[in-house]
Amino acid sequence: MRPVVRAVLRGALRQVRYVKAVPPGAAQGTVAEVYAQVERDFGVLAPPLALHSPAPAPLAASWLLLRETLLVDGVVSRAAKELTATAVSAANSCSYCVDVHQATLETLGAERPLPGGPDAALADWAAASGRIVRGGGSPAVPPELAAGAAGAAEIFGVAVAFHYLNRMVGVFLADSPVPDRAPDFARGPILRTVARTMRPVVPEPLRPGASLPLLAGAPLPAGLAWAQASPAVADALGRAVA
């Protein structure tokens, strides 16, 4: 099934608006390196990443953000990270990202957050994270979900990554990865099939920091000191912001 989904998503690169995504067969240099890492560690060449391909450095930066926050095994569970990604995307009205990451949550066996529960508290925080006033200090993840400073850094990192990616997807992609002509009853199965394919090719934990050499080292900007508790997240943010 993975080769079929890969082929479908590669075809979806033609749906990128306003810019021409680099086809995998034509990729060179940094673009080719990023594409290879994405298909190895993410399972598929996702259009939200590939839309950056006309600009190799922003392409690498978006991959660093996604890999080192959402995909790498860390202190926080993948389900908590996907819940954060889904809630941020919903708050930003990015239906494309909501479709993908809600489907991923379902393939992980996660339920929709119940009112008053710890998952609901995390979802509420993530949905509000775009409205936090600058200069007011690091936003507080619910204590029962923070899993210590490193856990908070991972959750904050996922939120930062999706506040960026949502905006790019909103401009350059359609409202959903599922074609408009697909019947409503097929949307859920299609999305869950795509989500199950978004797994590393080699079923081993992803090593933190493997994407970092794609960009030159850079200091962590002021205001992002919360990331220091997770070295890979901090390094990815420093390089990506630069």
Side-chain angles (χ1 to χ4, degrees):
M1 183 60 69
R2 189 191 295 267
V4 174
V5 174
R6 274 185 172 176
V8 169
L9 290 178
R10 283 183 170 186
L13 299 188
R14 294 190 295 272
Q15 299 172 1
V16 174
R17 299 180 292 207
Y18 309 125
V19 296
K20 182 175 174 56
V22 177
Q28 298 179 355
T30 298
V31 176
E33 291 182 62
V34 173
Y35 278 12
Q37 283 197 20
V38 171
E39 292 210 334
R40 182 193 70 205
D41 293 349
F42 197 36
V44 295
L45 180 57
L49 291 169
L51 66 84
H52 294 79
S53 57
L59 169 66
S62 62
W63 170 235
L64 262 65
L65 284 176
L66 185 70
R67 185 189 189 277
E68 302 302 334
T69 62
L70 181 72
L71 304 181
V72 167
D73 284 356
V75 176
V76 177
S77 71
R78 177 67 181 271
K81 294 177 180 181
E82 291 288 351
L83 178 60
T84 301
T86 303
V88 168
S89 299
N92 289 331
S93 300
C94 182
S95 57
Y96 186 110
C97 294
V98 171
D99 278 355
V100 171
H101 295 282
Q102 180 61 50
T104 303
L105 267 175
E106 293 171 4
T107 66
L108 295 172
E111 302 290 340
R112 290 183 182 272
L114 296 174
D119 287 350
L122 177 58
D124 290 345
W125 172 85
S129 62
R131 300 192 297 271
I132 293 167
V133 178
R134 272 186 86 172
S138 299
V141 171
E144 63 272 34
L145 295 172
E154 292 170 11
I155 289 293
F156 293 173
V158 171
V160 169
F162 278 85
H163 278 299
Y164 170 72
L165 289 170
N166 292 163
R167 286 156 173 79
M168 297 300 287
V169 169
V171 172
F172 293 102
L173 290 174
D175 291 337
S176 174
V178 179
D180 291 340
R181 64 182 179 274
D184 288 344
F185 71 84
R187 292 181 59 83
I190 291 171
L191 286 165
R192 286 189 290 274
T193 299
V194 171
R196 290 189 185 96
T197 308
M198 294 192 305
R199 300 285 190 275
V201 172
V202 178
E204 296 177 355
L206 293 184
R207 179 172 58 87
S211 67
L212 298 178
L214 290 165
L215 291 175
L220 189 65
L224 301 181
W226 47 260
Q228 292 174 346
S230 177
V233 170
D235 206 348
L237 281 166
R239 293 170 193 243
V241 170

